[in-house]
């Protein structure tokens, strides 16, 4: 079997670059098309990105000479690929329209964008947590009038640092969650060179982030009814989201009350044993141990631990009882790997393994 042919929409931006670096030598997927804005179209990928390559590893040789296509030439891009990853930088309405256009051109879309996260028949997936939501794809295809085209999205990067930890404890009924996230600058698509104001600084506001952090876990925990995803009623989640001078890695300080308070040993056992379909299927990008708990008081740390399991694992620490809440703990996830492009790649692997994405 040959590799599936992949296109990257918005391939010149930071998340697009991360997709390209993660897909180098991927066993199932091969990047054959890169699409971006009209100003980049017609240039080689190397020329279009120029000095803006932000990954720690060099630009893969196999993409340097690819001619960047106009992302609006939906039919032309679709001819070349079996499916696309979407990381386009447009308005929400423009993203909605262009992703639906690709789906209607019978090209499945795995999106890193937020535009379709609340479209009722579009799954918003963390592959280990809610793979059953993929069943709404059939209803979505009926709405779009497609045979193989559809859209699947991944959730906001901020929630990955604490939602898997809470998901693993659902048998105990988390009912109230307070989380403060300390988010890396790459979450804004920047590094210190283009955001010098972040050096020696903390900004206590990230537009739209708190609403996403409070609501998106409820959609992940929602249920499928009549071809739509109905969000869960609880737990109640309140958050603050703060930008901190860290290159990569979102940290969360979490407080939680339960319906049935577990012991510390029960919590640690649930975290250690938690796995999902990606682990059972041994998907190429799946972390072997999804959740890792550190006993040391000063871990997890973004600089030391964000690359755990190639950036696809979740790191937890400092679990202890609290004087107001039942428990508190600290979480960490890599925001541009697990929280963005890596989560998208793992989603595509699950879609392939379950027969949703095939060769055209």
């Amino acid at each position: 079997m040959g590799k599936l042919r992949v296109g990257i929409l918005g391939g010149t931006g930071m998340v697009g670059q991360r997709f390209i670096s993660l897909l180098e030598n991927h066993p199932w997927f091969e990047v054959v098309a890169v699409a971006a804005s009209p100003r980049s179209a017609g240039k080689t990928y190397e020329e279009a990105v120029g000095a803006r390559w932000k990954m720690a590893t060099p630009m893969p040789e196999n993409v340097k000479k690819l001619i960047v296509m106009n992302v609006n030439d939906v039919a032309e891009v679709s001819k070349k690929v079996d499916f696309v990853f979407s990381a386009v930088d447009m308005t929400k309405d423009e993203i909605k329209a262009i992703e639906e256009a690709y789906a209607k051109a019978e090209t499945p879309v795995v999106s890193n964008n937020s535009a379709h996260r609340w479209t009722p028949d579009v799954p918003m997936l963390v592959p280990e947590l809610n793979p059953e939501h993929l069943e709404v794809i059939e209803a979505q295809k009926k709405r779009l009038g497609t045979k193989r085209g559809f859209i699947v999205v991944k959730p906001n990067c901020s929630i990955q640092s604490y939602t898997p930890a809470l998901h693993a404890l659902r048998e105990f009924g988390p009912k109230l969650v307070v989380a403060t996230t300390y988010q890396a600058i790459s979450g804004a698509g920047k590094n210190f060179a283009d955001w010098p104001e972040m050096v020696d600084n903390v900004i206590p506001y990230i537009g739209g982030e708190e609403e996403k952090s409070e609501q998106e876990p409820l959609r992940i925990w929602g249920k499928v009814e009549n071809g739509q995803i109905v969000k869960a009623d609880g737990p109640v989640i309140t958050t603050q989201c703060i930008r901190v001078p860290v290159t990569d890695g979102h940290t969360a300080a979490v407080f939680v009350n339960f319906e049935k308070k577990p012991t510390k040993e029960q919590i640690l056992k649930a975290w250690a044993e938690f796995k999902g379909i990606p682990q059972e299927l041994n998907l190429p990008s799946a972390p072997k141990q999804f959740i890792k708990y550190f006993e040391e008081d000063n871990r997890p740390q973004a600089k030391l631990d964000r690359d755990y399991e190639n950036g696809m694992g979740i790191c937890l620490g400092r679990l202890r009882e609290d004087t107001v809440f039942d428990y508190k703990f600290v979480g960490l996830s890599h925001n541009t790997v697990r929280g963005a492009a890596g989560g998208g790649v793992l989603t595509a692997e699950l879609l392939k393994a379950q027969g949703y994405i095939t060769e055209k």
Side-chain angles (χ1 to χ4, degrees), residues 234-304:
V236 174
I237 303 173
T238 183
T239 65
Q240 292 197 94
C241 298
I242 297 172
R243 189 73 73 193
V244 294
V246 169
T247 52
D248 294 303
H250 288 355
T251 299
V254 185
F255 299 78
V256 57
N257 277 339
F258 295 94
E259 301 283 355
K260 299 172 288 188
K261 183 179 176 181
T263 64
K264 184 177 180 180
E265 291 68 32
Q266 285 176 309
I267 293 175
L268 294 176
K269 184 172 186 284
W271 284 344
E273 293 178 356
F274 182 77
K275 62 182 179 183
I277 286 178
Q279 286 70 39
E280 291 164 11
L281 296 178
N282 197 26
L283 298 178
S285 300
K288 298 289 181 279
Q289 180 70 37
F290 182 34
I291 296 173
K292 176 175 182 173
Y293 182 78
F294 288 89
E295 295 289 349
E296 299 94 328
D297 285 339
N298 63 348
R299 302 284 284 278
Q301 293 180 25
K303 197 167 186 178
L304 297 179

Side-chain angles (χ1 to χ4, degrees), residues 323-344:
T323 53
V324 177
F325 288 80
D326 289 340
Y327 285 97
K328 52 191 171 187
F329 65 89
V330 172
L332 169 72
S333 62
H334 197 306
N335 56 297
T336 68
V337 183
R338 168 56 78 163

Side-chain angles (χ1 to χ4, degrees), residues 98-281:
I98 201 155
E99 290 182 350
E100 283 208 357
Y102 275 93
K104 286 176 178 174
E106 300 294 1
T107 302
V109 178
V110 178
S111 178
N112 187 72
N113 298 303
S114 65
H116 277 291
R117 286 186 193 152
W118 291 94
T119 303
D121 58 11
V122 172
M124 183 176 75
L125 217 68
V126 176
E128 286 89 349
L129 308 191
N130 60 328
E132 69 280 3
H133 285 189
L134 292 180
E135 67 185 69
V136 301
I137 286 173
E138 293 311 315
Q140 185 193 148
K141 286 179 181 174
K142 279 184 188 161
R143 174 175 64 84
L144 296 174
T146 59
K147 290 187 170 61
R148 73 185 298 277
F150 60 86
I151 303 163
V152 173
V153 299
K154 53 149 287 301
N156 196 43
C157 52
S158 65
I159 75 168
Q160 320 267 343
S161 52
Y162 56 91
T163 304
L166 296 171
H167 186 90
L169 304 176
R170 291 190 80 201
E171 65 181 291
F172 305 111
K175 62 180 181 179
L176 177 62
V177 177
V178 176
T180 300
T181 59
Y182 304 89
Q183 299 186 203
I185 63 173
S186 57
K190 297 182 180 180
N191 56 26
F192 287 113
D194 35 53
W195 204 1
E197 308 85 63
M198 274 309 305
V199 176
D200 190 32
N201 197 15
V202 165
I203 298 176
Y205 173 72
I206 307 171
E209 206 77 354
E210 287 164 2
E211 183 184 2
K212 294 173 187 173
S213 301
E214 293 168 358
Q215 293 298 316
E216 289 186 13
L218 302 180
R219 188 162 200 256
I220 285 171
W221 292 323
K223 54 186 183 293
V224 176
E225 288 182 2
N226 303 316
Q228 298 189 342
I229 296 156
V230 179
K231 78 171 187 177
D233 295 329
V236 174
I237 303 173
T238 183
T239 65
Q240 292 197 94
C241 298
I242 297 172
R243 189 73 73 193
V244 294
V246 169
T247 52
D248 294 303
H250 288 355
T251 299
V254 185
F255 299 78
V256 57
N257 277 339
F258 295 94
E259 301 283 355
K260 299 172 288 188
K261 183 179 176 181
T263 64
K264 184 177 180 180
E265 291 68 32
Q266 285 176 309
I267 293 175
L268 294 176
K269 184 172 186 284
W271 284 344
E273 293 178 356
F274 182 77
K275 62 182 179 183
I277 286 178
Q279 286 70 39
E280 291 164 11
L281 296 178

